[in-house]
Structure formats: structure tokens, C-alpha cells
Amino acid sequence: MRHTLFAAVAVLCLLASSTAVAQEKSGNKPGFTLRPGSAKILLIRPTIRVGAQSTGGLFEPNADWTAQARDNLGAALAVAQQQLGNQVIDAEEPIGPAAKTFAGYRALFSVLADSVIEYQFFPGNRLPTKKRKGSFEWTMGPGVAEIGRGTGCDYALFIFDEDQYGSTGRKVFQVFAAMASVSVKSGEHRGYAGLVDLRNGDLVWLNADQAMGGDVRTVEGAQKRVRQLLEDFPGSTPPAAPVVASATGQ
Amino acid sequence: MTPRLRRLALLGVAAVFGVAASAPKEPLPPYSGAYEPQTVDERGLWMQLDEAERTLRDSAFVLKEPGLTDYVRAVLCRTVGADRCRGIRIYVMRDPEFNARMAPNGMMVVNSGLLIRVHDEAELAAVLGHEFAHFEQRHSLHRFQHDRSMTDVVAWMSVIAASGASYQVRRSAVDVANSAVGSMFAFGRDEEREADLLGAKYMLAAGYDPNALPDIWNRAMDEADATAFGRKQKSHRYDRLSFFASHPTSLERATYLRTLVAGMGQGDAGRDALQGAVKPLRGAFLADQIKLNDFGGTEYLFGQLAGDTWDAELLCARGDLYRTRGNPRDLVSAAGFYAQAIALDPTNADAYRGLGLAQLRGGDSHGGDALKRYLALRPDAPDRAMIQTLLP
């Protein structure tokens, strides 16, 4: 009996899917600076998934919320970069052989970002080559210049965002679970943003957050989310110029 | 827990969660022209898969050769009918696994591993019909909804099991949770059976050979046995269902499909059509299969592909299989296969390359001559520099 109970608790822990919280959230290539008002940035179609979290912890994708988040985040991002003086250009969907290259680098970036989060941001799990203090050496290789050809962009910006809003059932379940001294997490909000130098392929900045605020389904919430995503963005000097003072700052 | 108590508990669970299981009936079949997904769940699922398809479409693993994709489309259209297949996007994927899948949004993915395993067009039609049936019946959506209900049950029961309730209650909660987990897998197996039967209906109506249906599963079992034997593992049993099995066993499928087609006679097999369509890419597909490091299964597969007559390409691939394993006796066998390939086709550069490498590795200096012949036959060989380092 004891071991079946134990198994049940183990299943529950799996359902709660508590992710290890990374201890560091962002990294900059040492010595890299972005002069404000100088950069043309190519925005790669962001990967956005928004939905609910069922009582049992399954992700329930929601088309409307995802569409809202895509619009709201896009608008908030444009405003934020405008205030930094940067120009953001949405990457076109390429056709023909260029499509394969583009898809390849998009896939490569997600692997790169996951590696940085796993092997650099979490100090206990750092690779031996990433242990030197202040080092941040990651690159996609110079071939990535291919995806910026003809756009005149110097940098590419990659964004990932996943939001799971705890359903009513999940919240009720959380309360009852707490009564049985079982900790259950309701909702999941994680994302990252990364900037790649298109001339040499180096990752110059990455910011990843496993627990973010701001409801991306609303305009204000998306602004808050973009503020968090672009925290420490090269060229932004937080005390002097808050990235987004207000959405209607014009 | 007594059976009565268990039944009561299950009834209670069904009453609480039954609401989600009885979704409203869907209006249109999902293949009808420009169908738009209807419910929140379906729209969410389609949105997710539309995004996935954007990525898959441009993947380096999707074959861009139009000939093969057009052929697969023609077989699907003949099987399920022109109006059903019109909106389907087909992607032939370079993946040696024996599989095909169809997403709820009408994206069909066919692995190269399936294309070299089916013997004829009728067998391909059987698999495509099965996948299309999953799509038409909205199986992914229903399974998602069922899984959601059942993980809800498991979550609640786990909390009860972890609470301070009495032994009886906790025991019952664990039993209910276990039944719910089992039900998720059983639900999936029921859908597979349903897709098998509807797919069979399609391919039979299209005039394909009925025997193709069970034959696939008979060979799948034989190949799995050969793989297990080659890896010195115990072969799977086909008469017993595992708790976590996603599909019915191959034996069960072969049996009920054999019963279904009993007495139906012969139909159109289309062996030449399939072989002709796959032929230009078969060498690459065979090379992928060799990289799986599955000597027993691959040897069985090559034997099946050859039938009574081994052609030069197959002999060469068999030589590669033996040379890759690389025991001294394998190198002798490999050299023999390459020599047979050369006898059939004296201009086969790959066979000379394999022969030369196998002979050199085995200490036979004649290998150098074969490698020279290889370079002469293929002046623009990509590995020219490497091969030249092996020559005196």
C-alpha cells in the first residue's frame, strides 16, 4: 500500500511539473555595446503559444489568446524599440531554397537558447568551458548572415513565449491539494528573447525568464511582458530611460 | 476495495467528468473545402499544428522531389476519393522509421521508412487510408479531450491518496487513478482499430488487393523478431497487450484484418507502380536504414525487398550493411556481395568503393585496384581526397 501511495505522489509531482528555476536570467557578450539609435533589427517570427492549463496539468492551446498575444506583443515590442531608437523589421517568409536555410537557423536558435539556459544560466550545471567569470561565448556561426541578406539589418531578434493560464479547475485543485500538503503550481509563463549579430553570428544578448508577469492577452499586460523580456537589452540604460514609460509616449 | 465500491467510485468520477467527454457533434467533416475548426479545443489544436506545419514545410528532412510526393498524393486520392484528398498537404520525410502520421489540420507526413517497407501500392493505400481515417474521425481531438478528463481524475485521486483519509478511501483513489491511466491508452487503441476498419473500407472500395491489409502486419512482426534476434533480445509477444501500448498488437491487427478480407479474392496490387516511384531515391533510403545499427532487422528487410532476385543496388547496400558491422567474416561476405553487384552492373561505382574498402580493411591489397576503378568511374567523387590517402 505504501508504495502505491508513493507512486501516486510521484505521479502528482509529474503533473505539477515544477521546472527548475534558473538562477541567472540574462547574459551579454563581454564588451558588446549597442549605441542607442543605431541598430536595424530583423525580428524573426516569434514562437508564441498561449492557452490554459487543465486540472491535471495538460496544456490546452487557445487560438484566440495566441492571436491576441501575437498582436499585443508585436505592438509593444515596436514601441519599446522605437524608444531605444532602434528600427525593427519583421522578417518576410522566404520562398524556395532560402526557406530551408531560414527554417534551419530558426531551429538552431531554439537549441542554442535552450543550451544557454541549461548550461550557462544555471551555475550548478555549467559546462567547464562556460565557467570563467564573465564569459558569454555562444555563436550560430557566420552563415546566419544569409537570413538577413537584402534587409540591411545588423541584428536578428528571436522571441519565444509560452503562457499557460491555470484553469478554474486547476486553481480549485491547487487549494484542495494544499489542504493535503501537496504543492501544486497553477499556470506557467516562460519566455526568452535573444539578439544575434548578423555579421559574425555571435549571440550578443539573451534574456530568459521561467516565471514572467503581465497578461499577454491584454495590451497593458503585453507591455509589461515586453519590458521583462527586454530587461538588460543592450543599449538600454534602465535608470535613465525606462524602456516603456507608457504605450502612448509619442 | 470490493468490486462494488470500485464501481461506485468509477461512477462518481464519470458523473463529475462525463460532461467534458460528451462534446457536441461536429458539423462538417474536416476535409470539406476550407473547413474552419469549430470548438475552442479544435481551434487550439489546429492553431498549434498550423505553426508546426510552417516549420515542417521548410525542414531539410522533407524531400523536395516532386515525383515521389505526387505519386503518394495520387495513391491517397485514389484511395479516399478526389474530394476528400483535395485539401491534404503531403510531406515525404526522410526518416527510416516505419511510420506515417496525419495531423488534425490535414497535414500528412509519410516516412521514407514506410515507402521502402510496403511491397506494393495496395499496402501503401492501406496505410494512407488508415491515417486519413484518423483525420476524418477527428481522433487527435477526441484523444486530447479524453486525456484531459483522465489526467484530471488522476490529479484528484492522487491528492486524495496523499491526504489523511482512511486506508479504504486512499486505496480506492489509487485504483481509480490506475484505471484512468489505463483508460487513456485503451482509448488510443480503440481509435487505432476504428481507423484500421475505416481505412480498409476505403482501400477496398478503390479496388486494391484486400490481402495487402494483413500482410503488412505479418511482415512487421517478422521484422521485429529479426531485430530482436540480431540484438540478442527476447522477441516481443504478440498475444498479450501491454498496459501502456498505444496500438493493438500487430498480431491482433493482422488477425482481424485477415478475417475481414477472407474470401474477397484478389485485387489490384500495383507493385510496379510503387517500385517505379520509389526507385530513384531507394539507394538513399537504404543508406538511412543501414545507419539504424539494426543488423537483424535490416538483413530481413533487404531480403524482403529482393524477393527472388537481388539487383545491384540491393547487393551493394547489403555489402554496406556487412562492412559497417565489420567483423573479419563480415568483410569477406561484404566483398562477395560487392563482387556480385559488379557482375550485374560493371559501372556501379559504389560497389567498387565498397569492395575496395572491404578488401583493404581485410588486408587484401587488391582493394587499391577497386578504389582506383571507383575514382575513374566517378571523377567528381566527394570523398576523392580521402580515398586517395588509402592508395599507394
Side-chain angles (χ1 to χ4, degrees):
Chain A
M1 184 58 206
R2 181 173 286 257
H3 75 271
T4 47
L5 277 184
F6 184 76
V9 174
V11 167
L12 186 68
C13 291
L14 278 177
L15 290 167
S17 73
S18 63
T19 43
V21 179
Q23 300 198 348
E24 283 173 21
K25 292 201 312 197
S26 72
N28 265 298
K29 186 180 162 190
F32 176 81
T33 49
L34 187 67
R35 251 183 324 115
S38 58
K40 255 178 112 175
I41 298 172
L42 185 69
L43 175 65
I44 311 299
R45 183 182 165 84
T47 306
I48 297 175
R49 266 199 297 266
V50 186
Q53 191 178 36
S54 76
T55 306
L58 281 194
F59 175 57
E60 304 170 79
N62 187 302
D64 293 329
W65 296 353
T66 305
Q68 285 162 1
R70 196 171 277 287
D71 290 348
N72 293 337
L73 287 172
L77 187 71
V79 171
Q81 286 295 337
Q82 212 171 12
Q83 285 176 349
L84 286 176
N86 297 327
Q87 197 185 340
V88 177
I89 297 165
D90 286 335
E92 299 274 336
E93 274 203 346
I95 301 172
K100 197 164 110 180
T101 314
F102 190 81
Y105 278 111
R106 218 173 146 217
L108 178 61
F109 187 84
S110 72
V111 175
L112 177 72
D114 288 345
S115 306
V116 175
I117 293 166
E118 180 116 22
Y119 300 117
Q120 168 117 31
F121 286 174
F122 186 51
N125 200 29
R126 214 163 260 172
L127 290 175
T129 51
K130 307 294 174 195
K131 277 186 175 157
R132 203 177 326 129
K133 205 165 174 56
S135 89
F136 190 76
E137 282 181 88
W138 301 86
T139 185
M140 291 170 84
V144 75
E146 196 71 26
I147 65 172
R149 176 168 296 172
T151 59
C153 289
D154 322 304
Y155 300 94
L157 179 62
F158 294 85
I159 290 180
F160 165 82
D161 178 86
E162 182 176 317
D163 283 276
Q164 302 186 18
Y165 292 92
S167 61
T168 313
R170 182 75 174 175
K171 286 173 189 155
V172 172
F173 174 62
Q174 191 180 24
V175 172
F176 276 87
M179 287 196 251
S181 310
V182 177
S183 152
V184 168
K185 202 172 146 204
S186 172
E188 185 97 36
H189 306 275
R190 49 198 199 95
Y192 61 68
L195 194 67
V196 171
D197 189 334
L198 283 177
R199 282 159 304 189
N200 51 21
D202 289 355
L203 178 68
V204 293
W205 167 80
L206 183 80
N207 180 36
D209 204 333
Q210 304 291 329
M212 292 194 291
D215 187 337
V216 293
R217 297 168 295 183
T218 65
V219 173
E220 298 77 31
Q223 284 164 358
K224 183 177 174 192
R225 175 65 57 85
V226 165
R227 259 201 311 278
Q228 293 186 348
L229 270 176
L230 296 186
E231 219 178 350
D232 310 325
F233 187 82
S236 63
T237 42
V243 179
V244 177
S246 73
T248 53
Q250 296 297 307
Chain B
M1 188 174 180
T2 64
R4 204 171 122 254
L5 254 178
R6 189 175 301 154
R7 243 196 329 273
L8 267 176
L10 274 173
L11 269 176
V13 168
V16 173
F17 299 98
V19 190
S22 60
K25 266 272 168 261
E26 297 89 352
L28 281 170
Y31 58 75
S32 54
Y35 169 80
E36 282 297 315
Q38 302 295 318
T39 59
V40 173
D41 287 338
E42 190 170 42
R43 295 179 58 222
L45 218 52
W46 281 52
M47 177 269 301
Q48 221 176 11
L49 284 152
D50 288 345
E51 282 297 317
E53 189 176 346
R54 277 172 186 261
T55 310
L56 180 93
R57 175 190 55 191
D58 298 332
S59 161
F61 293 99
V62 169
L63 289 170
K64 300 292 186 284
E65 280 75 5
L68 190 54
T69 309
D70 289 347
Y71 171 73
V72 175
R73 168 172 298 284
V75 175
L76 177 69
C77 287
R78 176 174 163 188
T79 309
V80 301
D83 44 332
R84 280 191 168 81
C85 87
R86 194 167 292 133
I88 308 304
R89 285 88 57 212
I90 293 174
Y91 302 95
V92 178
M93 193 91 157
R94 195 156 166 187
D95 180 339
E97 195 201 0
F98 171 45
N99 206 0
R101 57 202 161 91
M102 184 143 187
N105 68 341
M107 155 178 81
M108 182 178 255
V109 180
V110 176
N111 282 1
S112 58
L114 170 71
L115 292 173
I116 53 167
R117 275 176 182 80
V118 287
H119 268 193
D120 48 42
E121 192 172 306
E123 292 188 3
L124 179 61
V127 175
L128 299 183
H130 168 96
E131 293 305 323
F132 189 88
H134 277 312
F135 163 65
E136 185 174 357
Q137 303 283 320
R138 293 179 169 90
H139 279 168
S140 300
L141 174 67
H142 298 152
R143 188 155 66 227
F144 168 72
Q145 290 168 333
H146 183 82
D147 284 358
R148 181 173 56 195
S149 306
M150 290 304 119
T151 48
D152 287 356
V153 173
V154 173
W156 279 112
M157 291 305 129
S158 310
V159 159
I160 293 173
S163 72
S166 72
Y167 174 84
Q168 273 284 319
V169 172
R170 286 181 293 156
R171 181 68 208 257
S172 321
V174 170
D175 284 351
V176 173
N178 287 343
S179 321
V181 172
S183 136
M184 285 190 257
F185 293 97
F187 191 86
R189 291 191 296 266
D190 287 345
E191 286 190 336
E192 293 300 332
R193 284 183 204 103
E194 199 188 353
D196 269 344
L197 296 180
L198 181 57
K201 214 185 250 179
Y202 284 138
M203 67 88 81
L204 293 175
Y208 282 117
D209 186 10
N211 297 306
L213 285 161
D215 283 356
I216 303 171
W217 300 113
N218 282 111
R219 285 206 314 281
M221 280 187 280
D222 289 345
E223 187 182 329
D225 285 346
T227 299
F229 184 74
R231 290 181 172 156
K232 305 195 169 44
Q233 293 166 338
K234 217 159 56 172
S235 181
H236 297 284
R237 296 185 55 135
Y238 302 105
D239 56 349
R240 200 185 280 168
L241 197 57
S242 136
F243 184 75
F244 296 111
S246 63
H247 289 66
T249 65
S250 297
L251 179 64
E252 183 188 338
R253 300 175 87 171
T255 309
Y256 64 62
L257 290 171
R258 185 80 65 197
T259 317
L260 180 79
V261 303
M264 280 191 183
Q266 296 287 313
D268 184 6
R271 188 173 167 87
D272 292 346
L274 178 98
Q275 310 278 342
V278 176
K279 183 82 189 144
L281 287 157
R282 196 179 67 160
F285 295 169
L286 296 177
D288 292 344
Q289 170 67 29
I290 290 170
K291 291 192 189 105
L292 289 179
N293 191 22
D294 171 13
F295 187 88
T298 307
E299 177 76 345
Y300 170 82
L301 176 67
F302 287 1
Q304 283 295 314
L305 283 172
D308 308 329
T309 47
W310 288 78
D311 61 31
E313 187 180 64
L314 264 177
L315 282 165
C316 198
R318 194 174 182 196
D320 288 344
L321 177 69
Y322 278 75
R323 186 167 59 80
T324 309
R325 192 167 72 169
N327 292 320
R329 66 190 163 91
D330 292 330
L331 296 173
V332 176
S333 310
F337 297 135
Y338 291 126
Q340 288 174 38
I342 290 167
L344 286 173
D345 175 12
T347 61
N348 191 326
D350 288 326
Y352 278 107
R353 179 180 182 276
L355 178 65
L357 291 174
Q359 285 178 331
L360 282 186
R361 174 68 70 82
D364 180 350
S365 58
H366 288 98
D369 301 335
L371 289 181
K372 277 182 199 146
R373 185 94 188 102
Y374 162 64
L375 292 178
L377 281 168
R378 190 173 289 161
D380 57 345
D383 58 350
R384 168 173 285 274
M386 195 200 77
I387 294 292
Q388 255 160 352
T389 63
L390 298 173
L391 297 174

